[in-house]
Amino acid sequence: MQFNKKKGFTLIEILIVVAIIGILASIVLVGLGPAQRQGRDARRLSDMRQVQTGLELYFQKCGYYPGDAQPDQPCTAFAATADWAGMTAALIGSNIGVPAIPNDPVRTKTYSYGVNAGGTSYILGAQLEGTNTALDNDVDGTVNGVDCFGVATSDTIYCVQL
C-alpha cells in the first residue's frame, strides 16, 4: 500500500511565523522613533545653514535681504513679503543659483523667516522635536515677527539671526 504524504507547512504554522515577524517589526519601529526625531532635527539645522548661504548670496547681489524692498536696488521686484514663502520666491527668482529652498521634513510644520525694516538683518526659525545643543546658543524671544519661544513650554524653537 502506498501513502501519498504531502510535505509542507500547515496554515497554523504559517500564521504563527507571520505573527512573530509582525511583533518583531513593531518592536524595531518603536525603537527607531528617537533616532528618526534626531535625524529630522539634524536635517532642520542643515536646512537653516543652506538657507543662510542662499540669503548671503542674495545680499551680495541685492544689497539687502528679501522682504523689505529698497528703492533703486537690482532686486526690488523679488523682495515680496517677509515670510518663508516670500523669501523662497525671492531667492529662487533672483537668479543667484538657488534652484529650491528646503521645507520642514514634517509636512505639518514650517520654517519661519523675518527681516528687519532696513533689510540688513534676518532671522530664521525651525521647531525641533527634541532638545539639542544648538539651542544653547540660539536666539530667544520674538524677533522681526519670528517667535523663537513657541506656543507651548514644550516647544523647542531653534532660531538663528544675522
Side-chain angles (χ1 to χ4, degrees), residues 8 33 41-42 53 80 93 102 138 142 150:
D41 282 351
T53 301
D138 78 330
T142 300

Side-chain angles (χ1 to χ4, degrees), residues 8-140:
F9 296 105
T10 65
L11 180 61
I12 298 296
E13 291 170 330
I14 293 173
L15 288 175
I16 289 172
V17 169
V18 168
I20 291 171
I21 291 172
I23 290 169
L24 291 174
S26 66
I27 290 171
V28 168
L29 288 177
V30 168
L32 289 178
Q36 289 175 332
R37 284 192 296 276
Q38 289 175 346
R40 286 190 298 265
D41 282 351
R43 178 178 163 196
R44 287 179 180 103
L45 296 176
S46 174
D47 288 350
M48 292 296 108
R49 286 186 209 101
Q50 289 178 6
V51 172
Q52 282 184 293
T53 301
L55 286 168
E56 292 308 317
L57 290 170
Y58 185 94
F59 187 83
Q60 290 300 314
K61 179 179 181 182
C62 305
Y64 60 94
Y65 294 106
D68 188 48
Q70 303 294 316
D72 302 325
Q73 293 292 331
C75 300
T76 303
F78 301 111
T81 57
D83 60 10
W84 192 261
M87 184 264 312
T88 298
L91 291 182
I92 293 172
S94 62
N95 298 320
I96 57 173
V98 177
I101 300 297
N103 290 312
D104 195 283
V106 176
R107 293 185 187 266
T108 57
K109 296 182 179 188
T110 59
Y111 295 139
S112 303
Y113 171 75
V115 65
N116 71 342
T120 58
S121 72
Y122 63 84
I123 186 160
L124 299 171
Q127 184 175 356
L128 303 181
E129 295 179 54
T131 57
N132 193 302
T133 56
L135 293 168
D136 296 339
N137 300 318
D138 78 330
V139 178
D140 292 324

Side-chain angles (χ1 to χ4, degrees), residues 112 126-128 138-142 146-159:
S112 303
Q127 184 175 356
L128 303 181
D138 78 330
V139 178
D140 292 324
T142 300
V146 175
D147 179 16
C148 296
F149 277 132
V151 177
T153 56
S154 62
D155 289 346
T156 50
I157 311 291
Y158 172 73
C159 286

